[in-house]
Amino acid sequence: MPAKMEDPIQLKEDGNKYFKANDYDQAINCYNKAIKLLKDKKMLAVLYRNRAACHLKKENYVQAASDASKAIDVDAKDIKALFRRCQALEKLGKLDQAFKDVQRCATLEPKNQTFQETLHRLGADIHQKLHVQFSTDSRVQKMFEILLDPNTEKEKREKAVNNLIVLGREEAGAERIFQNNGVNLLMQLVATKDPELILSAVRTLSGMCTGHRARATVILHLVQLERICRIMAMDNEEIALATCSLVQNIVDSLTKEDRKEHGKEEALVLDTKKDLRMITVHLLDMLVNKTVSGHGRDQALNLLNKNIPRSDLKEKDNSRTLFVVDTGLKKILKVLSQIPELPNCLPLTFNTRLNASILINKLYDDLRCDPERDNFRQICEEYITGQFDPKDMEKNLHAIQTVSGILQGPFDLGNKLLGLQGVMEMMVALTGSENEIDQLVAVEALIHASTKLSRATFIITNGVSLLKDIYKKTKNEKIKIRALVGLCKLGSAGGTDYGLRQFAEGSTDKLAKQCRKWLCNPAIDLQTRKWAVEGLAYLTLDADVKDDFVEDEQALQAMFELCKTSDKTILYSVATTLVNCTNSYDVKEVVPELVQLAKFSKQHVPEQHPKDKKDFVTRRVKRLLKADVISALSCMLKADSSILTDHTKEQLARVFLALCEDPKDRGMIVAQGGGKAMIPLALEGTEVGKTKAAHGLAKIAAVSNPDIAFPGERVYEVVRPLVSLLNTEKDGMQNFEALLGLTNLSGKSDKLRQKIIKEKALADIENYMFENHEQIRQAATECMCNLVVNKEVQERFMSDGNDRLKLVILLCGEEDEVKLQRAAAGALAVLTSAQKKLCQKMTEVTTQWMEILQRLCLNEDLQVQHRGVVIAYNLISADKELAKKLVESETLEILTVIGKQESNPSKQHIIDVAREALVKCLDYELIKPMS
């Protein structure tokens, strides 16, 4: 026998009995069951109110407030619910909200003594709270006393530290600290030399400087830039990062519009250029100061990277870059020239030299004309040639190390510097040196120099034998692996062209096996293992190598683990290796006629390796997904933004797009967080990178539930990348999949539809509804079918002087394309249902409307037929004259035939609408009932 259905009214009564007996858990249990069974809103409100009383007794104040709110949503004058919420909010410390609730209670029942007493008590409490908050701040004073007392207990001190930081972030709190001698007291915390206290002082100052130009300027001069730089120079990564954030907040407050309203005297702080220039000079000085730690130097480079080159090249003023080139380029070059193995090296981290290369690259890209670029090159040339000294080998080493660093930045500049007299010869000569450091520097320089095939051929003739010699003879693993990477790079100089391999068959396989061996050996130091990945980044251009690599689970995991280390200079190599494994690099299209011509003229014809064919690539993608490549990619994207260069982002975008190719894999990618990880790649970077990432997002958005793929507010960030693909310069597949993605998103909520409209996508979607390509036209129409639910879109259809409505009606007549017809008929059904004006307009924009409507109502496809009958019903409901037109045509006969059909589950929804339409005609007295 089935279980007996419980009675919600009885459950409510039982709950009340338990409440009176102080058994609150049982009472809640009864109310929970009753709530699940009831639909009546008023009854539900009573249950929520009762459950709130139970939670109050159990001191579950958050739940009590929530339940009381649900009751108030149904009846805003529910006095019991209002007072229960007031009691809960008071206990949660939200006195102002509690006061509003009891004030409402006292208004509804002015004679209730309890309400009046509570009102007075809360009013006094709020007044006291404000008094404590705004008195000459005892709190701020107390916190500093706790922090500056060496005998304070650890727990008390930690609490005071956190309170101070939070206070500094609030406008009122920051002002109170500032007015109460707070800056001097914060400097006393710094003077204790306790890292924890220094960190709290810096973070508090950082909050105080945010968005307040006047206060940021005063703090900058009170604390003094020299002292801020000394704090950033400390050998503590966390303190260096926090100080970098403080300087950035000061710079932002000085450069951006001040949102705060100030009195006349405060508003006098206007000219900030002098302060900004002073900050730049100090940061450049930090680069060459021996007392600055590697972390401090990294953060100085990061600040220069972020604030000096123009973020938008449309701005004409690049004076900041020109100032840095003239006064500080040599200082940046000095960082590039550092050799960690030499005793007099400046303190560096793994990432310092790469950060400097990135800065040089950004500065060079920010120059606007040839004279500026010539000046830049000249400074570099003078610095390098000034180092050459036949009597001092160490100076020569620094010169070559500088060239090596520039080659990692602006490559065309590096290439010009390689052409300087003596540079290539010096590199080859150092390779043959007996000194291991000479070999180390030279081999690295050769590796960076041999990126272009033209350069590689020079080195192949001059350097390969030397590299092979070093590889065989040296006992030093660091040199051995670099020599191997040099050989890897030269071995791959032909790229993916199977016919242009530099080495004999099987040589690259041997090199790759050795790289994988080093990569998987945890006993070898991090830097050396990093070079093993660099080698694979070149060797995996060979299809045999990449096929073996993806099958080596241990090697893949070792590479992914390296992404998670603090040394992020590896990211580009890992990204490039993955691009090679997924074949997501650009391949020139081979035109058969040109191939014949090339063969005839005995020119070289690019050949594809058999293992670069589609089924091999697909298998490699599956292997990478199985090895959890998505987690590794997500980890790489969380790296420091200056290390994650635009070029690296582009490589990662290529990989993501390749991984999303098969719709069956997209669920796994979403589950591992790949959807949200792709969003930043689509919003910033190179144009190619952004387009690839946007295409990847479109593939995910087309087939996934947006709430799962892009949780929370992230879903709104996906709209812009998808809209960017609705462009005639993008290919048809990108247009098509972007439209599918937007269709999926636009079906979710009006807020998303609003976002699509705001991104100015409507005109593009309408254009694609005219597209010749059947699938693109269908996708655009399906997208519009979802968008017409929005009032703003409906108004576009109602406005005069356009053919939007006519186009939708004509698309309804496309009987050869059922999906297109469904979408167009769906859009027309929504439009005519929402706006009566469009029902009249439909009959005016084309003479074919009646014929198309009748064909829809007779369509064999039930979805199309249903939409046709709904449109007919909408027209009849809109206006008696319109109904008369339909009754006088064959439409009446069609509706009558449909309405007279016997009940049929598969067609019932259509039959019902047809009958409703006929009833409407009866009401108008246009037809008479049959007996």
Side-chain angles (χ1 to χ4, degrees), residues 276-510:
L276 290 166
R277 185 152 283 197
M278 177 176 73
I279 291 170
T280 305
V281 170
H282 275 77
L283 292 173
L284 288 168
D285 287 343
M286 281 183 76
L287 300 185
V288 290
N289 188 331
K290 282 193 171 180
T291 62
V292 175
S293 71
H295 296 303
R297 195 166 275 100
D298 275 354
Q299 296 315 323
L301 285 164
N302 282 344
L303 284 164
L304 290 165
N305 252 320
K306 191 169 179 185
N307 298 297
I308 300 304
R310 292 167 292 170
S311 52
D312 183 0
L313 292 178
K314 288 173 190 165
E315 287 175 36
K316 290 192 175 170
D317 181 20
N318 69 340
S319 56
R320 292 190 306 250
T321 291
L322 297 179
F323 174 73
V324 168
V325 170
D326 289 337
T327 60
L329 181 54
K330 286 187 177 172
K331 290 174 181 172
I332 305 165
L333 291 170
K334 185 167 181 182
V335 177
L336 283 184
S337 74
Q338 296 305 298
I339 299 163
E341 288 73 16
L342 289 179
N344 59 354
C345 179
L346 293 169
L348 308 173
T349 70
F350 292 135
N351 302 325
T352 311
R353 287 187 67 247
L354 184 64
N355 274 328
S357 293
I358 291 163
L359 177 57
I360 286 211
N361 192 29
K362 283 192 172 180
L363 293 171
Y364 191 71
D365 284 347
D366 199 41
L367 301 174
R368 295 187 309 160
C369 57
D370 284 341
E372 288 179 3
R373 281 184 276 274
D374 289 341
N375 176 50
F376 193 103
R377 194 191 72 243
Q378 207 170 339
I379 295 170
C380 294
E381 281 184 11
E382 283 170 10
Y383 184 85
I384 291 160
T385 51
Q387 297 270 7
F388 278 143
D389 186 345
K391 292 175 187 170
D392 187 344
M393 190 51 84
E394 194 173 304
K395 277 190 168 182
N396 295 336
L397 270 182
H398 285 299
I400 296 303
Q401 186 81 328
T402 310
V403 175
S404 195
I406 294 170
L407 282 163
Q408 287 179 275
F411 193 80
D412 58 331
L413 173 66
N415 247 348
K416 284 173 186 165
L417 297 173
L418 284 175
L420 282 176
Q421 193 178 355
V423 170
M424 289 295 272
E425 289 77 6
M426 178 60 73
M427 280 160 60
V428 173
L430 284 169
T431 316
S433 162
E434 301 265 315
N435 185 324
E436 289 190 339
I437 293 174
D438 294 357
Q439 290 182 2
L440 206 60
V441 171
V443 171
E444 279 195 25
L446 277 173
I447 291 165
H448 295 311
S450 56
T451 299
K452 285 263 170 90
L453 190 54
S454 57
R455 290 278 163 214
T457 47
F458 172 91
I459 299 166
I460 285 167
T461 48
N462 294 276
V464 166
S465 54
L466 278 168
L467 287 171
K468 281 184 178 173
D469 210 38
I470 288 174
Y471 180 66
K472 284 173 188 167
K473 286 180 184 174
T474 185
K475 298 257 174 30
N476 184 326
E477 291 278 316
K478 291 181 178 180
I479 296 170
K480 200 175 186 72
I481 197 161
R482 283 162 175 75
L484 177 72
V485 172
L487 291 167
C488 293
K489 200 165 185 180
L490 296 171
S492 66
T496 54
D497 186 346
Y498 187 46
L500 254 188
R501 287 165 305 158
Q502 303 289 344
F503 293 158
E505 186 78 48
S507 297
T508 45
D509 289 345
K510 284 178 191 169

Side-chain angles (χ1 to χ4, degrees), residues 563-580:
C563 300
K564 296 170 189 172
T565 62
S566 59
D567 179 4
K568 298 295 179 191
T569 53
I570 191 175
L571 298 185
Y572 184 69
S573 304
V574 174
T576 305
T577 305
L578 291 171
V579 164
N580 293 342

Side-chain angles (χ1 to χ4, degrees), residues 272 435 484 510 593 625 648 651-652 658 662 736 738 800 874:
T272 59
N435 185 324
L484 177 72
K510 284 178 191 169
E593 291 80 4
L625 283 168
T648 310
Q651 298 290 73
L652 293 174
D662 186 346
F736 173 64
D800 296 326
N874 292 340

Side-chain angles (χ1 to χ4, degrees), residues 150-169:
N151 301 317
T152 304
E153 297 163 18
K154 191 186 175 191
E155 206 173 311
K156 220 173 180 185
R157 178 182 282 199
E158 280 177 6
K159 199 172 178 185
V161 160
N162 291 331
N163 286 344
L164 195 63
I165 295 166
V166 170
L167 212 59
R169 287 181 189 148

Side-chain angles (χ1 to χ4, degrees), residues 498-621:
Y498 187 46
L500 254 188
R501 287 165 305 158
Q502 303 289 344
F503 293 158
E505 186 78 48
S507 297
T508 45
D509 289 345
K510 284 178 191 169
L511 293 173
K513 275 177 190 162
Q514 186 56 55
C515 282
R516 277 162 34 205
K517 198 172 160 187
W518 268 313
L519 179 60
C520 296
N521 185 351
I524 295 174
D525 71 286
L526 191 69
Q527 283 291 85
T528 307
R529 287 165 68 210
K530 186 187 84 179
W531 278 101
V533 181
E534 181 96 4
L536 288 166
Y538 300 111
L539 291 173
T540 45
L541 284 164
D542 183 313
D544 285 316
V545 172
K546 57 182 133 182
D547 225 47
D548 289 344
F549 179 55
V550 295
E551 294 299 325
D552 187 341
E553 181 83 25
Q554 195 187 355
L556 279 178
Q557 291 310 324
M559 182 172 82
F560 295 160
E561 282 304 312
L562 282 181
C563 300
K564 296 170 189 172
T565 62
S566 59
D567 179 4
K568 298 295 179 191
T569 53
I570 191 175
L571 298 185
Y572 184 69
S573 304
V574 174
T576 305
T577 305
L578 291 171
V579 164
N580 293 342
C581 290
T582 54
N583 283 43
S584 46
Y585 39 69
D586 290 327
V587 180
K588 283 183 185 171
E589 199 177 333
V590 177
V591 181
E593 291 80 4
L594 291 178
V595 171
Q596 291 302 321
L597 195 63
K599 282 180 179 173
F600 179 73
S601 58
K602 298 196 173 150
Q603 295 290 317
H604 173 72
V605 179
E607 293 175 45
Q608 188 189 39
H609 193 291
K611 286 186 181 174
D612 273 332
K613 292 191 172 142
K614 197 176 177 197
D615 52 342
F616 280 94
V617 178
T618 306
R619 202 173 68 201
R620 288 199 287 271
V621 165

